[in-house]
Every structure is written in C-alpha cells, then in structure tokens.
C-alpha cells in the first residue's frame, strides 16, 4: 500500500526522530510536528492499521520493514529536492525546506528523474543531511565544544525555518570551518577565516560539528525539539 500524503508527512517526521536518536513516541512526534496529541494519535492509528508502524504496550513506535523503506525514500527524496532547489534554482538554504516539502508531493516521476540527474554528485541536502539515508556522518553538538577547539559544521539538525534564518544571518552553515574563541552559558562564538559567528547555546545544541579536540558524542538536539513557531519545522 502506498502511504497517503498525510501519512507521508508523519513517516518523514518519525524518521527524523529515529535518525536523530530520539525516542519515537506520540509525545515527541506531537512536539516535532506542532500538532495536538489527539490529532497525532489518530494518524498513528492509521499508520499502524496500514502496516507502516507498530506500537507496543508502552506506546513506543517502531517502523515495519515497509514503513522504514517508505520513510527512507521520502526523506531521501525531500533532501534531493532541497539540493536541486538550492543549487539549480537558487533558493537560499534557509528558505528551501518548506518549498521542498510542497514540491516533493506534486512532482512527476519524469521531473524527479531530471532533478536527480541535475544533482547526481551531491551527498547531502543544503543543511548537511545525507541524501542517501544511512550515510550520516557522526558529529557532536557545537554546544559541547570548548574554547580553542577547531570545528567544521556538519549539519543543522533542526530545520525549522525561523531557526534556519537565524543561522543564515549568523553565517553558520554546513562546511563552515573555524575555531571556537568563546563559549559560556549564553552563547558560542566561532572565528572563521574571514569573520566571527555567534549563536546562542540553545541554537548551538542543534548544530552538529566535527571537532578537535572533540567532546563525547551526544544527541545534538534540545529537549524542546522545536525552536520554530510554524508547523512542520524539524
């Protein structure tokens, strides 16, 4: 059975939780999608009925084989569309997430093949997530790094559009290399080759980096999951 568009949106969000190392629960999904608990519970029932997920007696959610396959395909397609819109069309990376969400549900297979050909060499979406799902580079939260550490930004874990606007304005995006020159309870400051970049600690929690020296690995997301105000920020 092919998932409906509504089911696809939930499968994508569930996979985001799974990939980030967060528990796949109705409560986390509700917070991630900015939807009410009853709305989420109803859709989870449909996903279970249609064979995409299972739920145990403790309400923990798991993908079925079919559900996992569909979720990976959806997420990979979304990231490919983001890369196409950024590299070929010229949409800024802080605006591309919601545009890709709309486009991926309406494009024809022929147009999808064209897009894949146009970005064939790309490994990640503009926010640093792997297009080939499962090839995720291990990172650590920027918030955990100490002053003096050399860092390279790997990816932006939370793709809520207002958060992406904030990071774009700060000049913090995948590929940025620099040294942490200051960090405290309020903010982290990075000096790159041509500028300095300062973000709050709560935002630094959502930025995964490669660091030297490196702190221990940890899930690079805050407890609140979502900093954006709009629905579907991830």
């Amino acid at each position: 059975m092919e998932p409906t568009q509504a089911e696809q949106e939930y499968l994508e969000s569930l996979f985001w939780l799974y990939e980030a190392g967060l528990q796949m629960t109705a409560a986390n999904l509700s917070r991630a999608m900015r939807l009410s608990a009853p709305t989420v519970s109803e859709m989870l029932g449909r996903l279970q009925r249609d064979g995409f997920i299972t739920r145990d007696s403790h309400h923990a959610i798991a993908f079925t084989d079919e559900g996992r396959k569909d979720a990976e395909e959806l997420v990979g397609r979304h990231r490919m569309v983001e890369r196409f819109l950024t590299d070929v069309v010229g949409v800024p990376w802080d605006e591309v997430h919601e545009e890709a969400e709309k486009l991926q549900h309406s494009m024809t297979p022929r147009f999808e093949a064209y897009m894949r050909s146009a970005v064939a060499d790309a490994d990640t979406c503009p926010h640093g997530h792997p297009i080939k799902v499962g090839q995720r580079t291990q990172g650590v939260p920027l918030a955990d790094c100490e002053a003096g550490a050399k860092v390279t930004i790997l990816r932006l874990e939370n793709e809520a559009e207002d958060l992406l606007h904030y990071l774009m304005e700060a000049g913090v995006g995948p590929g940025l290399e620099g040294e942490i020159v200051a960090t405290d309870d309020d903010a982290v400051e990075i000096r790159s080759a041509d500028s300095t970049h300062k973000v709050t600690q709560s935002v630094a929690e959502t930025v995964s980096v490669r660091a030297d020296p490196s702190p221990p690995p940890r899930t690079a997301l805050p407890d609140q999951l979502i900093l954006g105000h709009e629905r579907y920020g991830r």
Side-chain angles (χ1 to χ4, degrees):
M1 173 183 291
E2 289 292 321
T4 65
Q5 181 171 328
E7 288 176 327
Q8 289 176 17
E9 291 168 351
Y10 277 76
L11 287 173
E12 284 185 81
S13 293
L14 281 169
F15 191 84
W16 174 76
L17 293 173
Y18 169 82
E19 190 178 43
L22 296 162
Q23 287 188 318
M24 289 167 57
T25 63
N28 280 351
L29 187 61
S30 178
R31 294 161 74 187
M33 297 186 73
R34 311 290 281 184
L35 295 172
S36 69
T39 297
V40 169
S41 180
E42 180 182 356
M43 180 56 75
L44 288 175
R46 288 175 54 183
L47 289 172
Q48 185 173 11
R49 179 200 67 196
D50 292 342
F52 299 113
I53 64 169
T54 62
R55 290 186 287 179
D56 64 20
S57 58
H58 301 289
H59 306 291
I61 301 165
F63 286 117
T64 63
D65 289 344
E66 180 182 358
R68 170 74 178 272
K69 176 176 177 291
D70 287 337
E72 289 183 348
E73 289 178 353
L74 289 164
V75 170
R77 182 185 303 124
H78 175 89
R79 293 171 180 172
M80 179 272 298
V81 174
E82 286 185 327
R83 178 56 71 184
F84 174 83
L85 290 175
T86 301
D87 292 6
V88 179
V89 181
V91 179
W93 60 254
D94 61 328
E95 298 178 5
V96 75
H97 181 74
E98 300 301 330
E99 296 302 325
E101 191 71 30
K102 298 169 187 173
L103 179 58
Q104 75 179 87
H105 296 298
S106 61
M107 62 185 180
T108 64
R110 182 177 181 181
F111 188 57
E112 179 180 346
Y114 169 76
M115 282 193 285
R116 289 194 182 279
S117 176
V119 299
D121 296 332
D123 294 323
T124 69
C125 77
H127 311 123
H129 299 269
I131 292 174
K132 292 183 178 179
V133 176
Q135 298 183 0
R136 181 181 171 93
T137 301
Q138 178 68 55
V140 295
L142 176 61
D144 289 0
C145 299
E146 298 180 353
K150 302 291 195 300
V151 298
T152 301
I153 307 300
L154 293 175
R155 66 185 159 268
L156 312 177
E157 301 288 0
N158 188 327
E159 295 173 286
E161 191 165 292
D162 55 340
L163 179 57
L164 295 180
H165 292 331
Y166 175 93
L167 288 163
M168 172 72 88
E169 186 173 345
V172 174
L176 176 72
E177 298 180 351
E179 178 181 343
I180 297 180
V181 294
T183 180
D184 56 31
D185 291 340
D186 296 322
V188 176
E189 187 171 351
I190 303 170
R191 181 183 296 129
S192 65
D194 56 4
S195 187
T196 58
H197 316 268
K198 188 174 183 179
V199 296
T200 65
Q201 277 286 351
S202 61
V203 170
E205 282 277 357
T206 73
V207 178
S208 285
V209 303
R210 183 185 297 114
D212 183 22
S214 179
R218 179 174 65 84
T219 298
L221 285 167
D223 290 339
Q224 63 265 35
L225 301 181
I226 291 301
L227 301 183
H229 299 298
E230 299 298 328
R231 182 169 172 253
Y232 296 138
R234 287 195 293 276

